[in-house]
Amino acid sequence: MVVQRIIRSEMSLRGVKYQGLSDKLAEIGVTQTADNLRNKVNKGILGADLLLQILYVLKARPLSVEMMAEILAASDDQ
């Protein structure tokens, strides 16, 4: 799943674990436990609002067609 790969990639680049992500979200008023986030990301069942909030708190790189193509290509190689 592209969304799952984007979030994991951004977390990895910043050395953020799910508890840290939960803490960062709490700072902007979003309550999500680390376990809840892990489940949502792994199952790909998070809404657009939460996706954007996650990308915001991670200070994620801008999404581009090229970035998504790289992620899709990498997933095809696995």
Side-chain angles (χ1 to χ4, degrees), residues 5-16 58-61 67:
R5 294 189 193 302
I6 290 170
I7 293 172
R8 286 184 177 171
S9 171
E10 294 299 320
M11 288 175 67
S12 177
L13 281 173
R14 286 151 188 78
V16 175
L58 290 176
K59 298 180 173 117
R61 300 167 288 173
M67 179 182 172

Side-chain angles (χ1 to χ4, degrees), residues 28-78:
I28 63 165
V30 178
T31 304
Q32 294 283 332
T33 66
D35 289 338
N36 193 21
L37 287 167
R38 186 178 298 105
N39 288 334
K40 286 182 177 186
V41 171
N42 288 339
K43 293 178 181 177
I45 56 169
L46 58 143
D49 287 348
L50 183 56
L51 171 62
L52 293 175
Q53 290 161 335
I54 289 170
L55 295 177
Y56 174 76
V57 298
L58 290 176
K59 298 180 173 117
R61 300 167 288 173
L63 291 176
S64 66
V65 172
E66 293 81 10
M67 179 182 172
M68 288 185 277
E70 283 179 29
I71 291 167
L72 287 171
S75 67
D76 289 342
D77 293 342
Q78 294 178 354

